Amino acid sequence: MKGQNIGLALSGGGIRAMIFHLGLFKWLARNGLLEQVKRVSTVSGASLCVGMIYAHNNHEWPTSEKFLADVLPSIKSALSIDLQLSALRKLFTSPIYWNKRVNIVAQVLESKWGVYGELPNLSRGVSWYINCTTFETGKRFRFSQERMGDYTIGYVENPNIRLSEVMAASAGFPALIGPFVLRAKDYEWVSSKFSDENRHLTNSRAIHLWDGGVYDNFGLESIFKPDNGGTLAGNLDFLIVSNASPSIGAQLRKREWSVRNLKRLLDISMDQVASLRSRSVMDFIKRTNQGMYFKIGNSAEKITEASGCSEELKSHLVDKCLTVEQVQRAMKYKTTLRRPRDEDLHLLLRHGYEVADCTYQCYQKHRWEEL
């Protein structure tokens, strides 16, 4: 991948996704590839991950060396503070925020995890797209350093919005955290070709933004266009998709109504959308060899077997990587914002790194050595 412009599409999944993706970033940095990343599109836990990378590097995209030496250790230290518990404590002391729980998450991101500053002030060497779902339109609402909005409502150029609020909005899972309330009237909206019929939305008191995973848990649209067999956006040459969503598996239904039942229905819907998008992007990767797809829960055994690599490489990777049982434990880590135990943090970080390394070793290494 040396010399190629790389785009990253990173899925949601709470703290599990955040740490798994940090493992990918560690692998990229170890191989001197962070400098080649040109676009990043994130959802939910991945938005927390990338937001923390910026927040812990003075709002700049880090070099590979800087990430390994300073940024990753700083983020790991911040993760020792329980974001979810801190938010709950603040909520009980400020019950007026009950219908704005995601705003509490934003406040705690600032006070506990050190996430400060405005989104437009981030360095613009890398284009970062933070994905939400607009409740009112059912479309993808996208934040970036340059603008925010969705194509039916319209857009705001250089939006004056805090980094913590954007991260929290992207992670606002329905029923658990709830929507981020964006005061639409506070901004000047630029018309899109669809926006005139929705003018009442920009003049309304608020627009409600939910977890981007409800619309697309990969945030692919900013990186990959599926039309005509698939193309990469902008000037990208190579795509990396990192999927930290677990298999939904079988589950018995609980009592007649519960938050868990609602979450289950959302998980099923999101899983089906993810499956459809995965097929499209996997077909593109197989045909063009212009990408890699990383999936949580893929062990070294599974990756090497599927790739048909040599027995020597298979034996080497299986011996040095996590066992199948350890990989399953990482995949089943709950979608939560709770503080991870040290052993779980190490497990998820190592698993993310090893999935990236094994996939590269089995599918890409020899090709790139030949170029």
Side-chain angles (χ1 to χ4, degrees):
M1 284 177 284
K2 295 292 185 182
Q4 298 231 320
N5 293 333
I6 300 171
L8 306 178
L10 310 177
S11 82
I15 290 292
R16 179 190 64 250
M18 179 181 179
I19 302 172
F20 181 80
H21 298 321
L22 282 173
L24 162 61
F25 278 106
K26 182 178 179 181
W27 179 82
L28 289 168
R30 283 270 181 91
N31 288 277
L33 294 172
L34 282 185
E35 290 80 358
Q36 292 172 224
V37 173
K38 302 303 177 185
R39 284 193 179 207
V40 183
S41 184
T42 62
V43 177
S44 191
S47 299
L48 297 179
C49 174
V50 175
M52 287 289 279
I53 289 173
Y54 275 110
H56 287 254
N57 194 49
N58 298 317
H59 296 163
E60 299 282 337
W61 186 256
T63 64
S64 295
E65 182 180 1
K66 181 74 171 177
F67 178 83
L68 293 171
D70 300 321
V71 179
L72 182 57
S74 181
I75 294 174
K76 288 167 69 175
S77 177
L79 284 173
S80 65
I81 301 173
D82 194 313
L83 185 70
Q84 183 169 307
L85 185 58
S86 298
L88 286 172
R89 286 172 176 165
K90 192 170 184 63
L91 180 63
F92 285 120
T93 58
S94 306
I96 59 171
Y97 280 99
W98 180 252
N99 291 325
K100 296 181 179 180
R101 297 187 296 280
V102 73
N103 299 69
I104 290 285
V105 174
Q107 292 178 26
V108 173
L109 281 169
E110 294 193 359
S111 63
K112 302 298 183 180
W113 279 11
V115 177
Y116 293 102
E118 307 289 329
L119 179 63
N121 294 335
L122 301 183
S123 65
R124 303 196 180 192
V126 174
S127 298
W128 178 28
Y129 303 97
I130 307 98
N131 299 280
C132 304
T133 304
T134 313
F135 173 82
E136 284 77 8
T137 66
K139 305 301 181 182
R140 177 190 63 157
F141 191 101
R142 187 175 74 177
F143 291 97
S144 71
Q145 295 102 315
E146 292 82 18
R147 65 179 187 169
M148 70 178 186
D150 78 32
Y151 73 91
T152 62
I153 296 175
Y155 297 94
V156 175
E157 303 295 334
N158 298 309
N160 182 26
I161 189 166
R162 300 190 68 76
L163 175 59
S164 61
E165 293 176 329
V166 171
M167 292 163 63
S170 184
F173 196 85
L176 299 180
I177 298 177
F180 177 77
V181 181
L182 181 70
R183 292 176 57 88
K185 294 179 68 174
D186 290 350
Y187 298 94
E188 181 178 346
W189 297 82
V190 177
S191 297
S192 74
K193 61 181 178 179
F194 300 101
S195 64
D196 287 344
E197 62 190 74
N198 295 304
R199 182 59 57 196
H200 64 286
L201 293 176
T202 57
N203 291 329
S204 67
R205 184 176 180 181
I207 295 171
H208 299 82
L209 304 179
W210 268 351
D211 190 316
V214 176
Y215 180 83
D216 169 16
N217 201 37
F218 297 151
L220 273 172
E221 289 186 8
S222 299
I223 307 292
F224 173 75
K225 309 300 181 184
D227 301 337
N228 301 317
T231 56
L232 298 180
N235 63 341
L236 298 179
D237 305 303
F238 200 83
L239 163 69
I240 294 177
V241 179
S242 182
N243 181 5
S245 304
S247 171
I248 62 172
Q251 178 179 307
L252 293 174
R253 189 172 186 271
K254 301 300 179 181
R255 60 182 179 273
E256 190 63 26
W257 187 94
S258 71
V259 170
R260 185 173 295 182
N261 285 343
L262 176 58
K263 183 180 181 300
R264 173 69 174 177
L265 291 172
L266 285 165
D267 286 342
I268 293 170
S269 176
M270 291 165 65
D271 184 68
Q272 291 303 306
V273 172
S275 295
L276 291 171
R277 293 183 183 273
S278 294
R279 291 171 198 162
S280 174
V281 77
M282 284 300 294
D283 176 69
F284 169 81
I285 290 172
K286 289 176 181 177
R287 285 189 297 102
T288 67
N289 213 13
Q290 287 182 263
M292 291 190 289
Y293 181 92
F294 305 146
K295 177 70 170 73
I296 195 170
N298 280 353
S299 63
E301 285 91 336
K302 186 174 182 178
I303 295 170
T304 54
E305 186 68 29
S307 71
C309 68
S310 68
E311 286 299 319
E312 181 182 5
L313 179 58
K314 179 178 180 179
S315 178
H316 168 70
L317 292 175
V318 169
D319 286 346
K320 76 170 188 175
C321 292
L322 295 169
T323 65
V324 173
E325 291 75 18
Q326 289 173 313
V327 165
Q328 286 296 304
R329 183 157 63 88
M331 184 185 71
K332 293 178 180 178
Y333 190 89
K334 291 184 178 180
T335 303
T336 176
L337 297 180
R338 291 297 305 269
R339 171 191 178 275
R341 297 180 302 174
D342 290 344
E343 56 265 37
D344 290 327
L345 191 157
H346 176 75
L347 177 69
L348 287 162
L349 186 69
R350 180 179 172 184
H351 181 39
Y353 182 93
E354 289 181 353
V355 169
D357 191 54
C358 286
T359 303
Y360 173 71
Q361 296 276 351
C362 291
Y363 288 96
Q364 290 289 340
K365 183 177 180 181
H366 296 299
R367 175 176 179 266
W368 290 106
E369 286 177 344
E370 292 170 359
L371 294 178

